[in-house]
């Protein structure tokens, strides 16, 4: 069965172009022209990925992203690729912080959009392998099979990519990793341009798993190098 892409975008000409290109590449495609219609489509169809424009006529893309992440079941985990205005890093940072998996500035080349879609879907279909399926660090529990994280009895909400980043660090607890090593561990394939946003994802992970994200005890920054996951925790 073809993977199904939903594009929430008010520019119908752009959506038609993207739909034609993705259709030629073997993807199913649907288009919603505003946020409310898009949310209804996510509820009804559970797409494999959502391409979400930041600027919509009825609500902004950030609000749509927030609402998708509060839906029940698999819908809340739907990968989201956000389209942002070129040269506006704050929108991209906020989008990643509230749960977008990737971003792409407008205008964009269709080939780059396709590459990013494939990368996000590949991470979902082929997650980071784990030789130790259940990892425990004090009150933090990471289940590699179920792809869930709990801090005590509280579930930690992470995107698929953020889970993979956390798992890659946790499996190498005590070892300082550069950003490039972390990304290579997650993918084991070619690096992608958006990986410069890894620091934003780390901030999101800390907000989910740390008792105090401003004073982290689990994921530590090694200035000028990268990150280390602490072996000894509470």
């Amino acid at each position: 069965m073809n993977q199904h892409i939903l594009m929430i975008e008010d520019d119908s000409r752009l959506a038609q172009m993207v739909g034609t290109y993705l259709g030629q590449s073997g993807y199913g495609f649907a288009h919603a022209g505003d946020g409310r219609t898009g949310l209804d489509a996510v509820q009804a169809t559970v797409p494999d990925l959502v391409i979400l424009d930041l600027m919509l006529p009825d609500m902004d893309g950030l609000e749509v992203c927030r609402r998708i992440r509060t839906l029940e079941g698999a819908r809340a985990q739907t990968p989201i690729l956000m389209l942002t205005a070129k040269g506006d890093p704050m929108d991209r940072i906020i989008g990643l912080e509230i749960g977008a998996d990737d971003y792409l500035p407008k205008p964009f080349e269709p080939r780059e959009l396709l590459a990013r879609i494939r990368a996000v879907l590949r991470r979902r279909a082929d997650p980071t392998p784990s030789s130790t399926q259940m990892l425990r660090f004090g009150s933090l529990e990471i289940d590699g099979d179920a792809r869930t994280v709990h801090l005590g009895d509280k579930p930690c909400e992470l995107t698929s990519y953020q889970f993979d980043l956390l798992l890659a660090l946790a499996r190498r607890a005590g070892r300082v990793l550069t950003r490039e090593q972390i990304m290579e561990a997650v993918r084991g394939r070619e690096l992608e341009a958006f990986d410069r946003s890894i620091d934003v994802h780390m901030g999101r992970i800390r907000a989910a798993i740390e008792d105090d994200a401003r004073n982290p005890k689990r994921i530590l920054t090694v200035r000028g190098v990268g990150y280390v996951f602490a072996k000894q925790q509470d």
Side-chain angles (χ1 to χ4, degrees):
M1 181 180 296
N2 290 348
Q3 291 173 302
H4 182 75
I5 310 297
L6 170 66
M7 186 173 195
I8 307 176
E9 165 66 64
D10 63 334
D11 185 337
S12 58
R13 293 180 62 185
L14 175 61
Q16 183 178 10
M17 180 271 291
V18 170
T20 299
Y21 188 81
L22 293 181
Q24 293 171 346
S25 300
Y27 292 96
F29 182 82
H31 170 231
D34 58 60
R36 192 167 303 280
T37 304
L39 288 168
D40 289 343
V42 173
Q43 289 272 31
T45 63
V46 194
D48 292 290
L49 181 140
V50 171
I51 303 171
L52 176 60
D53 188 27
L54 185 65
M55 302 298 294
L56 296 167
D58 55 342
M59 65 180 79
D60 66 33
L62 297 177
E63 178 61 22
V64 176
C65 183
R66 288 190 192 96
R67 294 192 186 189
I68 290 175
R69 290 296 177 239
T70 61
L71 296 176
E72 295 182 354
R75 293 172 178 83
Q77 300 302 316
T78 302
I80 297 173
L81 192 160
M82 185 166 286
L83 302 179
T84 67
K86 188 171 184 178
D88 194 348
M90 186 53 63
D91 286 337
R92 297 196 288 272
I93 290 170
I94 294 173
L96 293 170
E97 286 181 340
I98 65 175
D101 293 85
D102 192 7
Y103 64 83
L104 182 62
K106 287 182 173 181
F108 54 83
E109 289 291 333
R111 286 183 298 177
E112 183 177 7
L113 174 65
L114 179 61
R116 288 171 183 268
I117 288 172
R118 285 174 171 168
V120 173
L121 291 175
R122 185 171 62 226
R123 290 195 296 269
R124 175 61 60 92
D126 184 23
T128 305
S130 174
S131 58
T132 304
Q133 300 301 339
M134 185 70 73
L135 299 175
R136 294 183 177 87
F137 301 88
S139 57
L140 182 69
E141 182 179 278
I142 304 170
D143 189 332
D145 281 335
R147 294 181 63 79
T148 58
V149 181
H150 284 80
L151 186 59
D153 295 329
K154 175 186 173 184
C156 301
E157 299 297 330
L158 297 172
T159 68
S160 178
Y161 183 44
Q162 289 160 4
F163 179 87
D164 289 342
L165 288 173
L166 174 60
L167 187 59
L169 279 169
R171 291 179 64 216
R172 297 160 179 80
R175 176 181 166 189
V176 178
L177 300 175
T178 66
R179 290 164 177 80
E180 291 75 16
Q181 287 173 325
I182 295 169
M183 293 182 290
E184 187 65 23
V186 167
R187 263 179 296 283
R189 299 178 176 90
E190 70 279 3
L191 303 182
E192 295 144 11
F194 85 99
D195 288 326
R196 289 172 296 182
S197 65
I198 189 171
D199 295 329
V200 177
H201 284 296
M202 287 298 176
R204 177 73 176 177
I205 296 169
R206 281 172 168 160
I209 72 168
E210 297 282 1
D211 299 310
D212 179 1
R214 295 184 178 182
N215 185 31
K217 302 296 184 184
R218 296 182 173 91
I219 296 179
L220 308 178
T221 300
V222 180
R223 189 176 299 276
V225 182
Y227 295 93
V228 60
F229 191 91
K231 275 188 175 182
Q232 301 298 323
Q233 302 180 16
D234 59 347

PDB file of all heavy atoms in Angstrom, residues 201-229:
ATOM      1  N   HIS A 201      16.090  19.939  19.218  1.00  0.00           N
ATOM      2  CA  HIS A 201      15.522  18.656  19.619  1.00  0.00           C
ATOM      3  C   HIS A 201      16.019  18.244  21.006  1.00  0.00           C
ATOM      4  O   HIS A 201      15.249  17.702  21.812  1.00  0.00           O
ATOM      5  CB  HIS A 201      15.899  17.582  18.596  1.00  0.00           C
ATOM      6  CG  HIS A 201      15.102  17.652  17.328  1.00  0.00           C
ATOM      7  ND1 HIS A 201      13.740  17.447  17.285  1.00  0.00           N
ATOM      8  CD2 HIS A 201      15.480  17.923  16.054  1.00  0.00           C
ATOM      9  CE1 HIS A 201      13.316  17.566  16.036  1.00  0.00           C
ATOM     10  NE2 HIS A 201      14.348  17.860  15.277  1.00  0.00           N
ATOM     11  N   MET A 202      17.287  18.491  21.293  1.00  0.00           N
ATOM     12  CA  MET A 202      17.809  18.147  22.610  1.00  0.00           C
ATOM     13  C   MET A 202      17.090  18.945  23.698  1.00  0.00           C
ATOM     14  O   MET A 202      16.812  18.426  24.782  1.00  0.00           O
ATOM     15  CB  MET A 202      19.320  18.408  22.663  1.00  0.00           C
ATOM     16  CG  MET A 202      20.133  17.399  21.887  1.00  0.00           C
ATOM     17  SD  MET A 202      19.944  15.712  22.538  1.00  0.00           S
ATOM     18  CE  MET A 202      20.925  14.814  21.338  1.00  0.00           C
ATOM     19  N   GLY A 203      16.807  20.193  23.416  1.00  0.00           N
ATOM     20  CA  GLY A 203      16.050  20.987  24.371  1.00  0.00           C
ATOM     21  C   GLY A 203      14.681  20.404  24.625  1.00  0.00           C
ATOM     22  O   GLY A 203      14.190  20.373  25.764  1.00  0.00           O
ATOM     23  N   ARG A 204      14.044  19.928  23.574  1.00  0.00           N
ATOM     24  CA  ARG A 204      12.721  19.308  23.701  1.00  0.00           C
ATOM     25  C   ARG A 204      12.797  18.018  24.519  1.00  0.00           C
ATOM     26  O   ARG A 204      11.939  17.745  25.365  1.00  0.00           O
ATOM     27  CB  ARG A 204      12.177  19.019  22.303  1.00  0.00           C
ATOM     28  CG  ARG A 204      10.848  18.305  22.277  1.00  0.00           C
ATOM     29  CD  ARG A 204       9.706  19.203  22.671  1.00  0.00           C
ATOM     30  NE  ARG A 204       8.433  18.500  22.553  1.00  0.00           N
ATOM     31  CZ  ARG A 204       7.261  19.002  22.888  1.00  0.00           C
ATOM     32  NH1 ARG A 204       7.196  20.233  23.347  1.00  0.00           N
ATOM     33  NH2 ARG A 204       6.154  18.309  22.750  1.00  0.00           N
ATOM     34  N   ILE A 205      13.832  17.215  24.267  1.00  0.00           N
ATOM     35  CA  ILE A 205      14.005  15.965  25.023  1.00  0.00           C
ATOM     36  C   ILE A 205      14.230  16.276  26.499  1.00  0.00           C
ATOM     37  O   ILE A 205      13.650  15.627  27.385  1.00  0.00           O
ATOM     38  CB  ILE A 205      15.177  15.150  24.448  1.00  0.00           C
ATOM     39  CG1 ILE A 205      14.861  14.707  23.017  1.00  0.00           C
ATOM     40  CG2 ILE A 205      15.471  13.937  25.325  1.00  0.00           C
ATOM     41  CD1 ILE A 205      16.054  14.132  22.278  1.00  0.00           C
ATOM     42  N   ARG A 206      15.063  17.254  26.777  1.00  0.00           N
ATOM     43  CA  ARG A 206      15.313  17.631  28.173  1.00  0.00           C
ATOM     44  C   ARG A 206      14.035  18.077  28.866  1.00  0.00           C
ATOM     45  O   ARG A 206      13.785  17.737  30.023  1.00  0.00           O
ATOM     46  CB  ARG A 206      16.349  18.746  28.229  1.00  0.00           C
ATOM     47  CG  ARG A 206      17.786  18.272  28.066  1.00  0.00           C
ATOM     48  CD  ARG A 206      18.728  19.441  27.938  1.00  0.00           C
ATOM     49  NE  ARG A 206      20.119  19.046  28.070  1.00  0.00           N
ATOM     50  CZ  ARG A 206      21.144  19.764  27.634  1.00  0.00           C
ATOM     51  NH1 ARG A 206      20.919  20.928  27.019  1.00  0.00           N
ATOM     52  NH2 ARG A 206      22.373  19.345  27.792  1.00  0.00           N
ATOM     53  N   ALA A 207      13.211  18.836  28.152  1.00  0.00           N
ATOM     54  CA  ALA A 207      11.950  19.297  28.745  1.00  0.00           C
ATOM     55  C   ALA A 207      11.066  18.118  29.128  1.00  0.00           C
ATOM     56  O   ALA A 207      10.276  18.201  30.078  1.00  0.00           O
ATOM     57  CB  ALA A 207      11.222  20.219  27.781  1.00  0.00           C
ATOM     58  N   ALA A 208      11.204  17.004  28.393  1.00  0.00           N
ATOM     59  CA  ALA A 208      10.364  15.839  28.643  1.00  0.00           C
ATOM     60  C   ALA A 208      10.918  14.929  29.738  1.00  0.00           C
ATOM     61  O   ALA A 208      10.148  14.354  30.513  1.00  0.00           O
ATOM     62  CB  ALA A 208      10.190  15.043  27.349  1.00  0.00           C
ATOM     63  N   ILE A 209      12.259  14.797  29.832  1.00  0.00           N
ATOM     64  CA  ILE A 209      12.815  13.767  30.715  1.00  0.00           C
ATOM     65  C   ILE A 209      13.546  14.306  31.937  1.00  0.00           C
ATOM     66  O   ILE A 209      13.859  13.545  32.851  1.00  0.00           O
ATOM     67  CB  ILE A 209      13.760  12.822  29.952  1.00  0.00           C
ATOM     68  CG1 ILE A 209      15.068  13.542  29.592  1.00  0.00           C
ATOM     69  CG2 ILE A 209      13.086  12.235  28.735  1.00  0.00           C
ATOM     70  CD1 ILE A 209      16.165  12.624  29.096  1.00  0.00           C
ATOM     71  N   GLU A 210      13.835  15.587  31.955  1.00  0.00           N
ATOM     72  CA  GLU A 210      14.581  16.149  33.088  1.00  0.00           C
ATOM     73  C   GLU A 210      13.615  16.668  34.157  1.00  0.00           C
ATOM     74  O   GLU A 210      12.534  17.166  33.846  1.00  0.00           O
ATOM     75  CB  GLU A 210      15.473  17.306  32.633  1.00  0.00           C
ATOM     76  CG  GLU A 210      16.570  16.917  31.641  1.00  0.00           C
ATOM     77  CD  GLU A 210      17.755  16.238  32.308  1.00  0.00           C
ATOM     78  OE1 GLU A 210      17.726  16.048  33.545  1.00  0.00           O
ATOM     79  OE2 GLU A 210      18.720  15.910  31.586  1.00  0.00           O
ATOM     80  N   ASP A 211      14.022  16.562  35.417  1.00  0.00           N
ATOM     81  CA  ASP A 211      13.241  17.154  36.496  1.00  0.00           C
ATOM     82  C   ASP A 211      13.273  18.674  36.387  1.00  0.00           C
ATOM     83  O   ASP A 211      12.293  19.355  36.680  1.00  0.00           O
ATOM     84  CB  ASP A 211      13.794  16.705  37.854  1.00  0.00           C
ATOM     85  CG  ASP A 211      13.723  15.189  38.016  1.00  0.00           C
ATOM     86  OD1 ASP A 211      12.636  14.619  37.773  1.00  0.00           O
ATOM     87  OD2 ASP A 211      14.748  14.589  38.347  1.00  0.00           O
ATOM     88  N   ASP A 212      14.412  19.208  35.957  1.00  0.00           N
ATOM     89  CA  ASP A 212      14.569  20.638  35.733  1.00  0.00           C
ATOM     90  C   ASP A 212      15.370  20.813  34.450  1.00  0.00           C
ATOM     91  O   ASP A 212      16.582  20.619  34.433  1.00  0.00           O
ATOM     92  CB  ASP A 212      15.294  21.293  36.919  1.00  0.00           C
ATOM     93  CG  ASP A 212      15.503  22.793  36.738  1.00  0.00           C
ATOM     94  OD1 ASP A 212      15.059  23.339  35.698  1.00  0.00           O
ATOM     95  OD2 ASP A 212      16.104  23.421  37.624  1.00  0.00           O
ATOM     96  N   ALA A 213      14.677  21.176  33.358  1.00  0.00           N
ATOM     97  CA  ALA A 213      15.341  21.263  32.049  1.00  0.00           C
ATOM     98  C   ALA A 213      16.436  22.321  32.027  1.00  0.00           C
ATOM     99  O   ALA A 213      17.364  22.242  31.224  1.00  0.00           O
ATOM    100  CB  ALA A 213      14.300  21.555  30.967  1.00  0.00           C
ATOM    101  N   ARG A 214      16.344  23.328  32.903  1.00  0.00           N
ATOM    102  CA  ARG A 214      17.369  24.366  32.943  1.00  0.00           C
ATOM    103  C   ARG A 214      18.620  23.910  33.685  1.00  0.00           C
ATOM    104  O   ARG A 214      19.669  24.535  33.588  1.00  0.00           O
ATOM    105  CB  ARG A 214      16.802  25.619  33.605  1.00  0.00           C
ATOM    106  CG  ARG A 214      15.663  26.268  32.812  1.00  0.00           C
ATOM    107  CD  ARG A 214      15.209  27.544  33.463  1.00  0.00           C
ATOM    108  NE  ARG A 214      14.145  28.201  32.703  1.00  0.00           N
ATOM    109  CZ  ARG A 214      13.592  29.353  33.040  1.00  0.00           C
ATOM    110  NH1 ARG A 214      14.001  29.996  34.132  1.00  0.00           N
ATOM    111  NH2 ARG A 214      12.637  29.870  32.302  1.00  0.00           N
ATOM    112  N   ASN A 215      18.488  22.848  34.448  1.00  0.00           N
ATOM    113  CA  ASN A 215      19.623  22.297  35.188  1.00  0.00           C
ATOM    114  C   ASN A 215      19.654  20.786  34.944  1.00  0.00           C
ATOM    115  O   ASN A 215      19.388  20.002  35.853  1.00  0.00           O
ATOM    116  CB  ASN A 215      19.490  22.610  36.670  1.00  0.00           C
ATOM    117  CG  ASN A 215      20.702  22.156  37.469  1.00  0.00           C
ATOM    118  OD1 ASN A 215      21.829  22.135  36.955  1.00  0.00           O
ATOM    119  ND2 ASN A 215      20.480  21.781  38.716  1.00  0.00           N
ATOM    120  N   PRO A 216      19.949  20.370  33.712  1.00  0.00           N
ATOM    121  CA  PRO A 216      19.834  18.960  33.355  1.00  0.00           C
ATOM    122  C   PRO A 216      20.825  18.071  34.092  1.00  0.00           C
ATOM    123  O   PRO A 216      21.967  18.452  34.331  1.00  0.00           O
ATOM    124  CB  PRO A 216      20.113  18.962  31.843  1.00  0.00           C
ATOM    125  CG  PRO A 216      20.934  20.182  31.611  1.00  0.00           C
ATOM    126  CD  PRO A 216      20.439  21.205  32.591  1.00  0.00           C
ATOM    127  N   LYS A 217      20.364  16.872  34.428  1.00  0.00           N
ATOM    128  CA  LYS A 217      21.195  15.882  35.096  1.00  0.00           C
ATOM    129  C   LYS A 217      21.382  14.629  34.245  1.00  0.00           C
ATOM    130  O   LYS A 217      22.240  13.813  34.544  1.00  0.00           O
ATOM    131  CB  LYS A 217      20.556  15.479  36.431  1.00  0.00           C
ATOM    132  CG  LYS A 217      20.323  16.636  37.394  1.00  0.00           C
ATOM    133  CD  LYS A 217      21.614  17.283  37.839  1.00  0.00           C
ATOM    134  CE  LYS A 217      21.352  18.374  38.877  1.00  0.00           C
ATOM    135  NZ  LYS A 217      22.597  19.079  39.263  1.00  0.00           N
ATOM    136  N   ARG A 218      20.559  14.499  33.214  1.00  0.00           N
ATOM    137  CA  ARG A 218      20.607  13.291  32.398  1.00  0.00           C
ATOM    138  C   ARG A 218      21.350  13.522  31.080  1.00  0.00           C
ATOM    139  O   ARG A 218      22.243  12.767  30.736  1.00  0.00           O
ATOM    140  CB  ARG A 218      19.188  12.777  32.149  1.00  0.00           C
ATOM    141  CG  ARG A 218      18.479  12.332  33.429  1.00  0.00           C
ATOM    142  CD  ARG A 218      17.093  11.780  33.168  1.00  0.00           C
ATOM    143  NE  ARG A 218      16.541  11.212  34.396  1.00  0.00           N
ATOM    144  CZ  ARG A 218      15.799  11.892  35.265  1.00  0.00           C
ATOM    145  NH1 ARG A 218      15.494  13.172  35.019  1.00  0.00           N
ATOM    146  NH2 ARG A 218      15.356  11.312  36.369  1.00  0.00           N
ATOM    147  N   ILE A 219      20.952  14.517  30.333  1.00  0.00           N
ATOM    148  CA  ILE A 219      21.644  14.846  29.084  1.00  0.00           C
ATOM    149  C   ILE A 219      22.463  16.109  29.316  1.00  0.00           C
ATOM    150  O   ILE A 219      21.912  17.185  29.529  1.00  0.00           O
ATOM    151  CB  ILE A 219      20.657  15.059  27.932  1.00  0.00           C
ATOM    152  CG1 ILE A 219      19.895  13.761  27.637  1.00  0.00           C
ATOM    153  CG2 ILE A 219      21.399  15.506  26.667  1.00  0.00           C
ATOM    154  CD1 ILE A 219      18.875  13.890  26.521  1.00  0.00           C
ATOM    155  N   LEU A 220      23.776  15.963  29.282  1.00  0.00           N
ATOM    156  CA  LEU A 220      24.678  17.061  29.599  1.00  0.00           C
ATOM    157  C   LEU A 220      25.351  17.573  28.325  1.00  0.00           C
ATOM    158  O   LEU A 220      25.712  16.791  27.443  1.00  0.00           O
ATOM    159  CB  LEU A 220      25.738  16.599  30.596  1.00  0.00           C
ATOM    160  CG  LEU A 220      25.217  15.919  31.867  1.00  0.00           C
ATOM    161  CD1 LEU A 220      26.387  15.479  32.736  1.00  0.00           C
ATOM    162  CD2 LEU A 220      24.278  16.831  32.635  1.00  0.00           C
ATOM    163  N   THR A 221      25.516  18.869  28.248  1.00  0.00           N
ATOM    164  CA  THR A 221      26.223  19.484  27.124  1.00  0.00           C
ATOM    165  C   THR A 221      27.709  19.531  27.427  1.00  0.00           C
ATOM    166  O   THR A 221      28.118  19.947  28.518  1.00  0.00           O
ATOM    167  CB  THR A 221      25.711  20.915  26.874  1.00  0.00           C
ATOM    168  OG1 THR A 221      24.316  20.873  26.576  1.00  0.00           O
ATOM    169  CG2 THR A 221      26.449  21.557  25.711  1.00  0.00           C
ATOM    170  N   VAL A 222      28.507  19.080  26.487  1.00  0.00           N
ATOM    171  CA  VAL A 222      29.960  19.198  26.590  1.00  0.00           C
ATOM    172  C   VAL A 222      30.353  20.309  25.626  1.00  0.00           C
ATOM    173  O   VAL A 222      30.325  20.128  24.405  1.00  0.00           O
ATOM    174  CB  VAL A 222      30.665  17.883  26.239  1.00  0.00           C
ATOM    175  CG1 VAL A 222      32.185  18.045  26.365  1.00  0.00           C
ATOM    176  CG2 VAL A 222      30.169  16.753  27.135  1.00  0.00           C
ATOM    177  N   ARG A 223      30.670  21.467  26.185  1.00  0.00           N
ATOM    178  CA  ARG A 223      30.873  22.659  25.375  1.00  0.00           C
ATOM    179  C   ARG A 223      31.942  22.435  24.300  1.00  0.00           C
ATOM    180  O   ARG A 223      33.024  21.945  24.576  1.00  0.00           O
ATOM    181  CB  ARG A 223      31.281  23.834  26.272  1.00  0.00           C
ATOM    182  CG  ARG A 223      31.309  25.182  25.546  1.00  0.00           C
ATOM    183  CD  ARG A 223      31.615  26.300  26.518  1.00  0.00           C
ATOM    184  NE  ARG A 223      30.608  26.404  27.559  1.00  0.00           N
ATOM    185  CZ  ARG A 223      29.461  27.068  27.430  1.00  0.00           C
ATOM    186  NH1 ARG A 223      29.187  27.673  26.276  1.00  0.00           N
ATOM    187  NH2 ARG A 223      28.605  27.136  28.429  1.00  0.00           N
ATOM    188  N   GLY A 224      31.580  22.797  23.078  1.00  0.00           N
ATOM    189  CA  GLY A 224      32.508  22.673  21.966  1.00  0.00           C
ATOM    190  C   GLY A 224      32.626  21.273  21.400  1.00  0.00           C
ATOM    191  O   GLY A 224      33.352  21.061  20.427  1.00  0.00           O
ATOM    192  N   VAL A 225      31.915  20.309  22.000  1.00  0.00           N
ATOM    193  CA  VAL A 225      32.015  18.923  21.528  1.00  0.00           C
ATOM    194  C   VAL A 225      30.643  18.382  21.130  1.00  0.00           C
ATOM    195  O   VAL A 225      30.380  18.094  19.975  1.00  0.00           O
ATOM    196  CB  VAL A 225      32.663  18.019  22.593  1.00  0.00           C
ATOM    197  CG1 VAL A 225      32.789  16.585  22.051  1.00  0.00           C
ATOM    198  CG2 VAL A 225      34.024  18.556  22.997  1.00  0.00           C
ATOM    199  N   GLY A 226      29.762  18.228  22.118  1.00  0.00           N
ATOM    200  CA  GLY A 226      28.453  17.636  21.834  1.00  0.00           C
ATOM    201  C   GLY A 226      27.690  17.351  23.109  1.00  0.00           C
ATOM    202  O   GLY A 226      27.528  18.235  23.957  1.00  0.00           O
ATOM    203  N   TYR A 227      27.275  16.098  23.290  1.00  0.00           N
ATOM    204  CA  TYR A 227      26.433  15.733  24.426  1.00  0.00           C
ATOM    205  C   TYR A 227      26.889  14.412  25.025  1.00  0.00           C
ATOM    206  O   TYR A 227      27.510  13.579  24.364  1.00  0.00           O
ATOM    207  CB  TYR A 227      24.969  15.582  23.992  1.00  0.00           C
ATOM    208  CG  TYR A 227      24.336  16.875  23.512  1.00  0.00           C
ATOM    209  CD1 TYR A 227      24.339  17.221  22.153  1.00  0.00           C
ATOM    210  CD2 TYR A 227      23.746  17.760  24.411  1.00  0.00           C
ATOM    211  CE1 TYR A 227      23.777  18.390  21.704  1.00  0.00           C
ATOM    212  CE2 TYR A 227      23.177  18.949  23.971  1.00  0.00           C
ATOM    213  CZ  TYR A 227      23.188  19.253  22.618  1.00  0.00           C
ATOM    214  OH  TYR A 227      22.623  20.439  22.182  1.00  0.00           O
ATOM    215  N   VAL A 228      26.521  14.223  26.290  1.00  0.00           N
ATOM    216  CA  VAL A 228      26.760  12.951  26.954  1.00  0.00           C
ATOM    217  C   VAL A 228      25.539  12.610  27.810  1.00  0.00           C
ATOM    218  O   VAL A 228      24.955  13.488  28.447  1.00  0.00           O
ATOM    219  CB  VAL A 228      28.044  12.987  27.828  1.00  0.00           C
ATOM    220  CG1 VAL A 228      27.945  14.054  28.903  1.00  0.00           C
ATOM    221  CG2 VAL A 228      28.329  11.616  28.443  1.00  0.00           C
ATOM    222  N   PHE A 229      25.140  11.364  27.767  1.00  0.00           N
ATOM    223  CA  PHE A 229      24.056  10.874  28.614  1.00  0.00           C
ATOM    224  C   PHE A 229      24.668  10.328  29.892  1.00  0.00           C
ATOM    225  O   PHE A 229      25.496   9.421  29.845  1.00  0.00           O
ATOM    226  CB  PHE A 229      23.259   9.774  27.888  1.00  0.00           C
ATOM    227  CG  PHE A 229      21.979   9.398  28.571  1.00  0.00           C
ATOM    228  CD1 PHE A 229      20.801  10.043  28.248  1.00  0.00           C
ATOM    229  CD2 PHE A 229      21.960   8.404  29.522  1.00  0.00           C
ATOM    230  CE1 PHE A 229      19.607   9.687  28.868  1.00  0.00           C
ATOM    231  CE2 PHE A 229      20.795   8.035  30.153  1.00  0.00           C
ATOM    232  CZ  PHE A 229      19.603   8.687  29.832  1.00  0.00           C
TER     233      PHE A 229
END
